[in-house]
Amino acid sequence: MKKKLLVALIAISSAICGVLVSSACDEKEDAYEARYKTEDCFLSVVEFNNIDNEINYIKRYTADGTAIYFDKDCNINKVIDNQIDEIYKLNALLKNNEFDCADEIYFSDKLINNYKVEDGEVKLTFKTDTSEEEALAWILRATSKSELPYGIYAGLASNLLEKEEYAKFAYSSISAAEYLTELQFPVYEKGNLPDGQRSYAWSFSNYLVSRLIKEGKSEKDILSMGIADLNLYLQNRLNVTLPDYSFYPYSTKYEYKVEQGCFTYYINKEFNDLILPKSRFDTSYNFISNWLKDNSRTAEESNRVFGLSTMYPINVYLDDGIKSNGISGETGTDYIFIYSVGSFSHEYIHHILYKIGKSGNLKEVFTELHADTSKYSNLMWYYLLSGSSDTYPYSDETNERQMYLETIKLYNNISAFEASPENFSYWLFVDCFSSLYTKKDKKWINRAQNNSCMRFIADKYGSDYLWMLNVSSTVSIDEKSFEAIVEEWIDYLNKIIN
């Protein structure tokens, strides 16, 4: 199914009337005499999927039927000549191998590498530092009617260009390569992974395509493979599988669009987690892929617990958490905003409660009761509740951090294992917090107390009572008033502290 990447190309005034590597646009003009005669044009182009980013193009050249546009910041003869040389080279290679060429290429460092097909015309945007193999891969992806992962086009490109640096590959290394064999395009981007890992991904793709060709498939045969066929081949021949998500380029606002089941993620690479340190999460591919796998697992567990077989489409936005108001995440009718990645499982269960019509008094309790198998949820709680987060805005008014530090002392005194990122029990913490700060007939000061009390009720009397309390706070439990149950809970807490 062809993905639609919304774009508007708006000409501010009629034109009087590409794009690849070598020099950067900030080079100063010298006495270099241009070899290609470009046309002046005046074209204002709105970025694919981001109407707030408008680029002004002032130069145009047509190379073998491909119209190439250069923005006003790249009006340097040598840079333009080199880009046109590359387009001629790639177009010749494409035509010699019976592939289609791009119709339009827009060249600007203010955009990301992206493409769209509109009214049968293939349009791409490239940054100046794009390698020729990366550009060729995107052209192959954009002109192809297949929906294979970017890594297949990367393998085809490096093979067609006969890139020797990617030709040497050890088959035995695949078993330990993990996410570097997932064929998703971020592992091929410059600066997203260490150079050695990025080079490995390119070499793996080169090896995969070379192997398919040696086994008798032509380039066109490879592109005719479906995702299921490719996955079966990878599993049977190389003992790796494709992940259950697919990455696509989107815009400079949300560089990545990721589709995974009912979820469509929009990921801003400038994301800073509200709670976790960068050593635990940033937007490099290894962290994102691990997080997506954790999300998939916990969502499936939650669906199973609540008896769901389907969920409506949900957009998940990974925005800069440090710019939020101290909330780890928030949920709306068809979206989740993530400010700390540990909030995903919690926010998804809110959607489940909406769907089954049980988003009542205890909605925040149920989300925590069923979110504690998430690796990232546990990490988030550890850094927040141990007072270890350097970015979370702890409340000075309530002396929040100090209360958490006092609670951790008690936690470590009674726990078999000292609190750590890898070994932290949210439920033991809320019991410890409640034991320190809960007084009879005094108002509760933190939702940890509500969670501790409700967990106590579920453990002692069964979760059915929680569902009744979710509707009405006046429910009696085994002919005991709610107030009497709270007193039982306080007695339980006293045993912890004593």
Side-chain angles (χ1 to χ4, degrees):
M1 180 176 66
K2 186 64 68 179
K3 300 290 184 292
K4 291 294 184 181
L5 298 179
L6 178 63
V7 65
L9 295 177
I10 304 172
I12 298 300
S13 60
S14 60
I16 298 176
C17 4
V19 311
L20 306 179
V21 279
S22 76
S23 304
C25 286
D26 59 0
E27 279 191 38
K28 294 183 179 179
E29 183 63 276
D30 53 24
Y32 179 89
E33 185 175 348
R35 290 180 285 108
Y36 296 103
K37 183 174 178 57
T38 59
E39 297 176 306
D40 291 334
C41 71
F42 304 96
L43 188 68
S44 182
V45 178
V46 174
E47 182 186 6
F48 302 173
N49 308 308
N50 184 8
I51 62 174
D52 295 326
N53 190 18
E54 189 172 271
I55 310 298
N56 295 316
Y57 290 90
I58 63 171
K59 294 288 186 181
R60 181 179 186 274
Y61 186 85
T62 301
D64 284 343
T66 298
I68 312 170
Y69 294 89
F70 302 91
D71 77 357
K72 66 182 183 65
D73 295 328
C74 294
N75 187 25
I76 301 166
N77 290 339
K78 187 174 183 179
V79 172
I80 291 174
D81 276 358
N82 287 339
Q83 303 304 323
I84 293 172
D85 283 340
E86 291 291 348
I87 293 301
Y88 272 121
K89 175 183 177 180
L90 296 184
N91 278 357
L93 189 63
L94 288 163
K95 290 177 180 179
N96 287 341
N97 288 275
E98 300 182 346
F99 288 110
D100 294 329
C101 301
D103 296 293
E104 297 176 4
I105 295 177
Y106 293 83
F107 178 52
S108 172
D109 283 341
K110 295 177 180 177
L111 298 170
I112 65 169
N113 292 346
N114 204 352
Y115 71 94
K116 73 157 190 167
V117 179
E118 184 178 65
D119 298 327
E121 290 196 335
V122 175
K123 304 174 182 181
L124 298 105
T125 58
F126 285 123
K127 297 175 73 69
T128 56
D129 65 348
T130 305
S131 65
E132 62 179 357
E133 59 267 31
E134 188 178 354
L136 179 57
W138 279 123
I139 295 172
L140 288 168
R141 172 67 189 88
T143 56
S144 171
K145 293 181 180 179
S146 63
E147 277 292 320
L148 296 170
Y150 178 82
I152 294 298
Y153 307 100
L156 285 169
S158 58
N159 267 264
L160 290 170
L161 289 165
E162 298 180 344
K163 290 286 181 178
E164 292 184 4
E165 61 266 39
Y166 304 135
K168 295 180 180 179
F169 184 80
Y171 170 81
S172 60
S173 68
I174 295 175
S175 60
E178 298 181 334
Y179 55 84
L180 298 177
T181 64
E182 291 185 352
L183 305 180
Q184 302 297 319
F185 88 85
V187 301
Y188 302 89
E189 288 185 307
K190 287 184 178 178
N192 199 34
L193 290 173
D195 289 343
Q197 291 186 351
R198 179 176 182 268
S199 179
Y200 183 94
W202 278 97
S203 298
F204 172 75
S205 293
N206 187 300
Y207 168 80
L208 173 59
V209 169
S210 297
R211 179 167 175 158
L212 287 166
I213 290 172
K214 288 178 181 177
E215 292 176 2
K217 287 187 179 293
S218 67
E219 286 88 349
K220 294 295 180 67
D221 291 335
I222 294 171
L223 290 178
S224 68
M225 294 176 72
I227 291 289
D229 295 331
L230 174 61
N231 204 25
L232 187 62
Y233 180 90
L234 290 169
Q235 188 171 12
N236 290 341
R237 303 296 183 88
L238 304 180
N239 199 31
V240 296
T241 57
L242 295 174
D244 69 347
Y245 47 78
S246 297
F247 276 77
Y248 303 92
Y250 195 67
S251 71
T252 51
K253 182 176 181 181
Y254 292 109
E255 287 90 344
Y256 299 148
K257 175 182 176 181
V258 186
E259 295 182 352
Q260 182 187 49
C262 69
F263 304 108
T264 301
Y265 294 83
Y266 296 92
I267 298 175
N268 179 352
K269 283 167 66 175
E270 300 304 314
F271 173 82
N272 291 285
D273 197 284
L274 177 65
I275 298 172
L276 298 181
K278 288 186 179 297
S279 61
R280 292 292 179 173
F281 187 86
D282 63 25
T283 53
S284 57
Y285 185 79
N286 55 335
F287 280 125
I288 292 179
S289 63
N290 193 292
W291 180 60
L292 290 170
K293 290 165 187 172
D294 191 63
N295 293 352
S296 178
R297 179 183 58 78
T298 57
E300 287 180 7
E301 288 178 359
S302 298
N303 288 343
R304 187 166 53 252
V305 168
F306 289 95
L308 290 182
S309 58
T310 60
M311 173 56 78
Y312 48 76
I314 300 172
N315 294 319
V316 183
Y317 298 92
L318 196 63
D319 281 314
D320 197 330
I322 295 179
K323 295 180 180 178
S324 72
N325 295 317
I327 302 170
S328 59
E330 57 182 291
T331 303
T333 53
D334 62 351
Y335 66 83
I336 297 172
F337 282 106
I338 298 291
Y339 305 123
S340 180
V341 291
S343 68
F344 172 85
S345 54
H346 175 110
E347 301 302 336
Y348 176 60
I349 292 170
H350 274 305
H351 279 286
I352 291 179
L353 295 175
Y354 294 152
K355 186 174 176 65
I356 65 177
K358 293 188 176 182
S359 185
N361 298 330
L362 300 185
K363 60 184 179 182
E364 295 298 337
V365 175
F366 286 118
T367 51
E368 287 312 322
L369 282 170
H370 297 287
D372 61 357
T373 62
S374 165
K375 167 187 171 182
Y376 284 94
S377 177
N378 290 336
L379 273 177
M380 178 186 73
W381 283 128
Y382 168 76
Y383 280 98
L384 174 64
L385 299 178
S386 66
S388 302
S389 176
D390 294 327
T391 49
Y392 184 79
Y394 293 102
S395 171
D396 292 331
E397 183 178 348
T398 62
N399 208 15
E400 184 179 13
R401 186 194 290 264
Q402 188 59 38
M403 285 194 297
Y404 293 161
L405 292 174
E406 290 299 319
T407 303
I408 283 292
K409 289 180 184 178
L410 175 60
Y411 178 108
N412 287 334
N413 283 338
I414 66 176
S415 173
F417 301 97
E418 187 170 308
S420 70
E422 289 72 32
N423 188 2
F424 182 71
S425 169
Y426 172 79
W427 295 105
L428 177 56
F429 180 93
V430 297
D431 283 351
C432 289
F433 182 96
S434 300
S435 70
L436 289 173
Y437 298 105
T438 303
K439 305 300 179 185
K440 187 176 180 180
D441 300 326
K442 294 292 184 180
K443 185 178 179 180
W444 295 349
I445 61 174
N446 191 294
R447 75 178 187 181
Q449 293 158 289
N450 192 47
N451 286 344
S452 173
C453 182
M454 297 305 149
R455 175 69 175 257
F456 170 81
I457 292 173
D459 287 346
K460 185 170 183 178
Y461 295 100
S463 59
D464 287 347
Y465 281 110
L466 294 190
W467 289 113
M468 289 188 282
L469 288 168
N470 190 50
V471 177
S472 172
S473 59
T474 61
V475 172
S476 62
I477 300 174
D478 281 4
E479 300 181 351
K480 300 175 185 177
S481 68
F482 182 73
E483 289 74 18
I485 298 298
V486 170
E487 289 189 15
E488 289 185 2
W489 169 64
I490 293 175
D491 288 342
Y492 158 78
L493 295 177
N494 288 333
K495 293 176 183 176
I496 293 178
I497 201 168
N498 297 320

